[in-house]
Amino acid sequence: MLKPQTGPTREVVNLDGVWRFAVDDRSAQAPWTADLGGTLDVAVPASYNDQFIDPAIRNHVGWVWYQRNVDVPRSWTGGRIMVRFDAATHEGRVYVDDTFVGEHIGGYTPFEFDVTDLVERGARFRLTVGVNNELTEHTVPPGHIFELADGRRKQQYHHDFFNYAGLARSVMLLHVPDLRVTDVTVVTEVDGADGLVGVDVNTSAAGTVRLALRDESGAVVAEGEGASTQLRVPEARLWQAGAAYLYELDVVVLHPETGDVDDTYTVNVGIRTVEVRGTQFLLNGEPFYFTGFGKHEDTAVRGKGHDNAYLVHDFQLMDWVGANSFRTSHYPYAEEVLDYADRHGIIVIDETSAVGFNLGVAGGMSQRNPPPTFSPETLGDRTRETHAQHLRELIARDKNHPSVVMWCIANEPAGQEDGAREYFEPLTTLSRELDPTRPVTYTAWLGAHSGNDQIADLFDVIGINRYFGWYIDLGDLVAAEEKLRADIEGWIERYQRPVFMMEYGADTMAGLHAIDAAPWSEEYQKAYLEMHHRVFDDYPEFVGEHVWNFADFRTGAGLHRVGGNKKGIFTRDRQPKAAAHSLRERWTGLGGQKPGTAGR
């Protein structure tokens, strides 16, 4: 789905701001048929949970309602009028005045509806949006709901971050032409010193497509015509980690009879290649070593609400610490994040919201006698169909971002269980059908190792999440190092593929110090990371290190989560812990090379 943009043929009215708000049990039977009652207002974009001090709203399970009046510009003659949502977590239903327009399931990808025939140009309409945060066995991520003795409904989920919900990203009213660009797919290759830019364009109706590729100075470097063509760029500037170079592709659609311009759409293009060859990950044909983090969209009050100030500051901190990459754990991030990564040369591993696919683990705590994860009664065909749709929407949205170099289709699934292969094999096949140009990965949890994992060979890069020295052998880094080496060697020996540590970390209370580097102290976090780095540097098959986590983040309540997950290198308000300085010393200046290999 194309990201909205304002241009000669398109207009956007941003609907962010303060909306009226109600939870379902405090609203009318059909709240979209009238103005929402009550005095509650809510900010958009932002999760609704922490904006209010009422715990019944913060922990509400079920539907909530957003509403505002929208004025349609009188100047919008002809064309189509669309209402667009960058996300509604986890399900959205849209109403124009009293009319149901449509719904979307999935909390982190965009959707839009044509409302041309329901609104009047130069007039006002009432826009109402229902948002549901419920997670079940068939949603992605999964969960289940049970009712307490006092009648309250409680949501249980198996991922270790708070289930923030609502309209956390922008809402827009769009005006687009009848004959318009509906999709663009860009695939880049390198041929000697030249860049090859393959372009496929879909339009709403038949028209003539013309293409012009401009460099950063605005000069046209390649032109073409047709809905499917390849442009050659002589002496191309490649998009590199830390040295982004973006071309601008102008897509113009001409009316088939008059030859007039009906639509124009612009796509940023980074010419680069990615490839897995043997045990190496290659960017533009050269071995690349990932340094960085798993992150979260998580800030105080906003929850998962997108905030451009935090976007800029977080990227400044990643640059300061020497990180060249991050993973969108554990869901697709706002597209503004990827746009920023494109412009600044930050590598992205793009992940679906398939987290919690492990019924033996609930928020990091093992359960006794858990049910099988993959079965018709738990995560079966219906869940896989939902998962596949999430994957389609992720790739359709993010396929043209040069910063995105891998698709991660699940975080910590029960890969050791029977049924895992039958579940995941169709999804890896689908990923490669949708995008044959990018490698596919996943992350293996602690209980899935090289001896029992049933799915690792389906993936191009083996991602592992390991917490030796924290959840296992707490405080004993000698024993932890021994287990870590054996684990990594097992993956390398069995699969002969790149191995990537996508999570490793230790909870750390900022300001807690200990001479003996006791767990939870800043000294222990620093020593814990340094042990891992000694191990990583001994294996040439090892291609990346992503610390868990970039910053402390909010979780559900739990005895082992005091005020949230504290594994951040930065606090939730983005102040550095001691480990941030040691990471900066290790990572700064590497330029994508593995530590200790510079000059080889």
Side-chain angles (χ1 to χ4, degrees):
M1 181 178 291
L2 295 177
K3 184 180 180 182
Q5 60 181 227
T6 296
T9 61
R10 296 168 175 251
E11 294 182 79
V12 176
V13 172
N14 188 287
L15 301 181
D16 295 349
V18 177
W19 293 47
R20 294 186 294 278
F21 182 78
V23 297
D24 194 63
D25 55 359
R26 301 184 186 187
S27 58
Q29 185 72 20
W32 59 89
T33 61
D35 290 343
L36 286 181
T39 61
L40 289 178
D41 291 323
V42 68
V44 175
S47 305
Y48 66 78
N49 310 80
D50 291 352
Q51 295 186 54
F52 303 98
I53 61 174
D54 185 348
I57 299 178
R58 183 178 191 275
N59 299 310
H60 175 72
V61 178
W63 291 91
V64 298
W65 297 95
Y66 290 74
Q67 191 179 81
R68 63 161 290 166
N69 292 324
V70 179
D71 293 312
V72 182
R74 186 170 57 185
S75 60
W76 283 9
T77 59
R80 310 302 295 177
I81 297 173
M82 320 287 289
V83 62
R84 152 92 177 208
F85 298 83
D86 279 349
T89 308
H90 296 276
E91 178 182 2
R93 292 180 181 170
V94 180
Y95 301 81
V96 169
D97 294 323
D98 296 350
T99 303
F100 173 68
V101 175
E103 65 182 339
H104 177 265
I105 297 175
Y108 304 98
T109 46
F111 56 99
E112 61 188 28
F113 301 111
D114 189 325
V115 298
T116 310
D117 298 333
L118 299 176
V119 303
E120 182 180 346
R121 301 159 204 265
R124 173 173 291 184
F125 70 90
R126 184 179 66 251
L127 177 62
T128 308
V129 185
V131 182
N132 181 21
N133 68 351
E134 295 179 6
L135 299 174
T136 72
E137 290 85 353
H138 307 301
T139 61
V140 176
H144 66 272
I145 298 168
F146 57 93
E147 190 168 310
L148 302 176
D150 59 7
R152 287 178 297 142
R153 301 173 76 232
K154 188 170 184 179
Q155 174 79 69
Q156 185 172 22
Y157 45 90
H158 307 299
H159 55 266
D160 186 25
F161 53 94
F162 189 78
N163 189 36
Y164 282 114
L167 297 178
R169 298 175 188 166
S170 287
V171 182
M172 289 157 276
L173 193 69
L174 314 178
H175 186 225
V176 296
D178 289 311
L179 173 55
R180 63 188 179 276
V181 179
T182 57
D183 193 27
V184 181
T185 302
V186 175
V187 175
T188 64
E189 302 174 59
V190 176
D191 181 20
D194 296 350
L196 303 178
V197 180
V199 184
D200 287 294
V201 179
N202 294 339
T203 57
S204 59
T208 301
V209 175
R210 289 183 180 169
L211 307 171
L213 191 69
R214 304 177 186 274
D215 64 17
E216 289 189 349
S217 72
V220 175
V221 296
E223 294 181 283
E225 185 171 310
S228 183
T229 189
Q230 187 176 73
L231 306 177
R232 179 174 288 271
V233 184
E235 301 294 330
R237 292 277 300 273
L238 299 186
W239 190 94
Q240 307 269 11
Y245 191 91
L246 291 176
Y247 293 87
E248 193 172 82
L249 177 67
D250 294 330
V251 183
V252 178
V253 183
L254 306 179
H255 193 279
E257 296 176 3
T258 66
D260 294 336
V261 173
D262 272 32
D263 192 23
T264 64
Y265 192 84
T266 300
V267 179
N268 287 330
V269 174
I271 299 175
R272 60 100 182 98
T273 63
V274 293
E275 178 189 0
V276 170
R277 187 185 304 161
T279 59
Q280 292 183 318
F281 186 95
L282 305 180
L283 177 64
N284 296 326
E286 298 292 330
F288 182 76
Y289 190 80
F290 297 77
T291 59
F293 302 97
K295 291 181 88 273
H296 265 300
E297 291 182 316
D298 175 274
T299 57
V301 181
R302 300 167 188 81
K304 293 198 176 305
H306 177 70
D307 185 291
N308 284 323
Y310 269 99
L311 167 66
V312 172
H313 189 61
D314 283 359
F315 272 74
Q316 286 282 303
L317 291 176
M318 284 193 288
D319 180 66
W320 174 83
V321 81
N324 62 25
S325 56
F326 64 91
R327 175 168 60 115
T328 69
S329 45
H330 298 297
Y331 37 82
Y333 290 178
E335 195 165 1
E336 290 88 345
V337 178
L338 302 185
D339 289 338
Y340 201 92
D342 290 344
R343 294 195 303 274
H344 293 270
I346 299 295
I347 296 292
V348 179
I349 298 171
D350 210 355
E351 185 166 286
T352 70
S353 52
V355 57
F357 281 51
N358 193 330
L359 299 187
V361 176
M365 299 294 288
S366 296
Q367 295 181 335
R368 295 180 179 178
N369 302 315
T373 299
F374 305 103
S375 74
E377 295 73 31
T378 53
L379 308 187
D381 292 345
R382 182 176 168 187
T383 307
R384 188 176 60 231
E385 290 171 5
T386 303
H387 193 165
Q389 184 59 29
H390 281 239
L391 195 56
R392 291 186 187 97
E393 293 184 10
L394 170 68
I395 293 176
R397 192 196 73 165
D398 295 346
K399 61 188 175 184
N400 293 330
H401 289 284
S403 59
V404 175
V405 301
M406 271 198 291
W407 306 115
C408 183
I409 70 172
N411 179 76
E412 294 193 350
Q416 82 288 356
E417 288 190 27
D418 291 341
R421 190 174 189 88
E422 291 78 5
Y423 182 94
F424 280 103
E425 190 164 15
L427 295 175
T428 56
T429 299
L430 175 64
S431 299
R432 294 185 176 99
E433 290 173 351
L434 295 170
D435 178 17
T437 71
R438 289 179 176 90
V440 181
T441 190
Y442 79 118
T443 69
W445 76 295
L446 266 172
H449 51 78
S450 62
N452 67 2
D453 185 279
Q454 300 186 35
I455 61 175
D457 64 297
L458 299 174
F459 298 89
D460 302 297
V461 174
I462 295 174
I464 58 176
N465 296 353
R466 293 296 180 261
Y467 291 94
F468 300 120
W470 189 250
Y471 296 120
I472 295 174
D473 292 324
L474 176 65
D476 187 349
L477 294 181
V478 174
E481 180 172 346
E482 192 173 298
K483 288 185 174 66
L484 178 62
R485 288 186 182 277
D487 186 81
I488 291 174
E489 289 169 5
W491 292 107
I492 293 171
E493 181 178 347
R494 180 175 177 184
Y495 293 104
Q496 287 299 305
R497 298 184 187 189
V499 178
F500 190 141
M501 184 66 77
M502 293 203 183
E503 287 186 23
Y504 63 115
D507 282 277
T508 304
M509 293 297 296
L512 179 64
H513 297 283
I515 290 292
D516 61 348
W520 289 91
S521 69
E522 293 194 41
E523 287 75 16
Y524 185 76
Q525 186 182 41
K526 184 172 179 290
Y528 172 97
L529 296 178
E530 289 172 350
M531 178 275 286
H532 282 74
H533 299 155
R534 287 195 304 272
V535 175
F536 299 164
D537 293 349
D538 285 344
Y539 299 98
E541 300 87 353
F542 207 83
V543 299
E545 53 194 63
H546 275 181
V547 176
W548 188 258
N549 191 281
F550 171 74
D552 296 343
F553 58 91
R554 199 67 178 264
T555 65
L559 290 175
H560 67 309
R561 292 287 178 258
V562 181
N565 191 304
K566 303 294 186 182
K567 293 187 181 69
I569 298 304
F570 299 95
T571 61
R572 201 179 188 209
D573 63 353
R574 279 31 179 193
Q575 297 305 309
K577 301 175 188 178
H581 296 278
S582 60
L583 281 175
R584 184 170 190 255
E585 183 177 347
R586 173 176 171 81
W587 289 348
T588 300
L590 287 178
Q593 290 186 305
K594 187 175 176 67
T597 63
R600 287 186 184 177

